[in-house]
Amino acid sequence: MCVIETSPVVETRRLLLRAPGPQDIPAIARLANDPDIARMTCRMPHPFGQGDAEDFVIAVAAQDPNKAATFLIEHEDQGPVGVIGMFEDADVAPEAGYWIGRPFWGRGFATEALEGALVWASKRWKRQAMMSGHFADNPASGRVLEKAGFLYTGETRKRFSKARGEPVDTRMMVWLA
């Protein structure tokens, strides 16, 4: 018997979290090609073009679903607004990361998506903890994490930002189910 694992879908009040597909490449490239978004992430390059978006969609499709899940954040009326992902890393608990396109900042989408992803991860992966962090010069991301229930660990790490080309002080946080 062959079992095919389908991509997870998470629904929140206003958002749908789903696997990004080829149809999303133009929107991902348009939203992600913002230096103020890229510089607040570890892995995102800047500039971020169509080829980067294509590579991203291919990489997500190749993820091991037992160790990583990446979702396109889609608003019911606005379409794609950002991306959220969770993955196994060096920490004891999986790590969560996200970004929201500039036109959608300040609307609570990041918090809503993160809360939905945390519920999914705790059920799917049976984990009771999740790690995350934000660059010290991005307190808005810290507020998103706090609203979703993350607490500061007191640890600051140097994390490399591809867009900045250098390590950045990162304030670490933990979420406990």
Side-chain angles (χ1 to χ4, degrees):
M1 179 167 105
C2 178
V3 176
I4 298 174
E5 175 122 9
T6 58
S7 297
V9 174
V10 177
E11 291 184 56
T12 68
R13 188 172 62 81
R14 301 175 293 174
L15 305 172
L16 184 69
L17 309 182
R18 62 170 177 80
Q23 73 278 10
D24 302 310
I25 290 171
I28 293 168
R30 183 181 70 254
L31 292 171
N33 191 31
D34 182 327
D36 289 333
I37 292 172
R39 67 185 305 275
M40 295 302 175
T41 70
C42 291
R43 295 172 186 82
M44 188 182 294
H46 185 73
F48 190 99
Q50 193 86 4
D52 296 302
E54 290 169 4
D55 292 345
F56 170 75
V57 169
I58 290 167
V60 169
Q63 287 178 330
D64 177 348
N66 295 313
K67 296 183 180 211
T70 301
F71 301 95
L72 179 85
I73 304 168
E74 184 173 45
H75 183 270
E76 60 190 359
D77 297 324
Q78 305 292 320
V81 299
V83 169
I84 187 165
M86 296 162 295
F87 53 92
E88 298 281 343
D89 201 10
D91 285 313
V92 174
E95 183 170 341
Y98 55 88
W99 61 265
I100 298 290
R102 183 188 298 269
F104 308 105
W105 288 358
R107 299 186 194 182
F109 295 158
T111 302
E112 186 175 330
L114 184 56
E115 289 171 340
L118 289 169
V119 168
W120 175 85
S122 66
K123 288 179 181 176
R124 170 69 167 84
W125 287 339
K126 308 285 189 250
R127 294 300 190 95
Q128 300 300 305
M130 182 79 60
M131 297 295 298
S132 194
H134 67 89
F135 290 159
D137 60 352
N138 187 6
S141 189
R143 287 190 296 279
V144 166
L145 291 164
E146 285 179 316
K147 287 188 276 184
F150 280 78
L151 303 169
Y152 283 101
T153 64
E155 178 185 11
T156 299
R157 296 181 187 171
K158 290 281 190 188
R159 304 283 302 267
F160 187 80
S161 169
K162 191 171 188 177
R164 296 182 192 204
E166 64 185 11
V168 182
D169 284 342
T170 305
R171 299 186 67 200
M172 299 306 297
M173 301 179 77
V174 64
W175 172 85
L176 303 170

